[in-house]
Amino acid sequence: MNKPLKVLLHVSNEEQISRMQANIVNLLKEDSNIDIKVVINGNAVTKFTKDNNITLNDTATHYLCNNSLNANNININNLTKNANVTPSGVYKIALLQEEGYLYIKV
């Protein structure tokens, strides 16, 4: 049996969030077994707080860059449900690429 396709989506700007969400849906339409990871850094992290009511697709794993959270004075206790925090977004991207994830800049 083939291994599932591994896809990494990278979001760094607020304007890319809706496109990222649509990309996840479209990828899953093509193959429901795709392993999707999303790394969010830059000013995009500001939209992933409880105040913004963004719902994360449970099928994908979302990582928020702690460096970006700190730079934007965001408390990790105020993050959207199911958001994971990674110390460095760019480092997480490198690690995931090393694991064979295909990189897509949203």
Side-chain angles (χ1 to χ4, degrees):
M1 184 163 167
N2 291 337
K3 291 183 191 176
L5 187 62
K6 298 181 345 181
V7 176
L8 162 61
L9 301 175
H10 177 206
V11 178
S12 58
N13 295 308
E14 296 174 28
E15 299 79 26
Q16 299 166 334
I17 295 169
S18 62
R19 188 168 49 234
M20 173 267 295
Q21 291 171 319
N23 284 341
I24 291 171
V25 170
N26 291 335
L27 284 165
L28 292 169
K29 278 183 192 174
E30 294 295 323
D31 181 355
S32 62
N33 293 317
I34 290 179
D35 180 0
I36 303 172
K37 307 284 192 225
V38 182
V39 175
I40 302 148
N41 66 351
N43 72 358
V45 299
T46 63
K47 296 300 179 187
F48 291 86
T49 63
K50 293 175 184 172
D51 304 331
N52 289 304
N53 295 320
I54 287 183
T55 302
L56 300 180
N57 187 314
D58 293 355
T59 309
T61 304
H62 296 76
Y63 296 98
L64 298 174
C65 172
N66 195 52
N67 292 329
S68 296
L69 293 171
N70 288 336
N72 288 282
N73 299 312
I74 297 172
N75 186 318
I76 62 170
N77 295 318
N78 191 35
L79 295 179
T80 303
K81 183 181 175 193
N82 296 332
N84 300 286
V85 177
T86 188
S88 168
V90 293
Y91 187 68
K92 186 66 171 180
I93 289 168
L95 289 175
L96 289 169
Q97 286 183 297
E98 181 69 22
E99 292 176 20
Y101 282 81
L102 303 171
Y103 176 85
I104 300 172
K105 176 67 172 141
V106 178

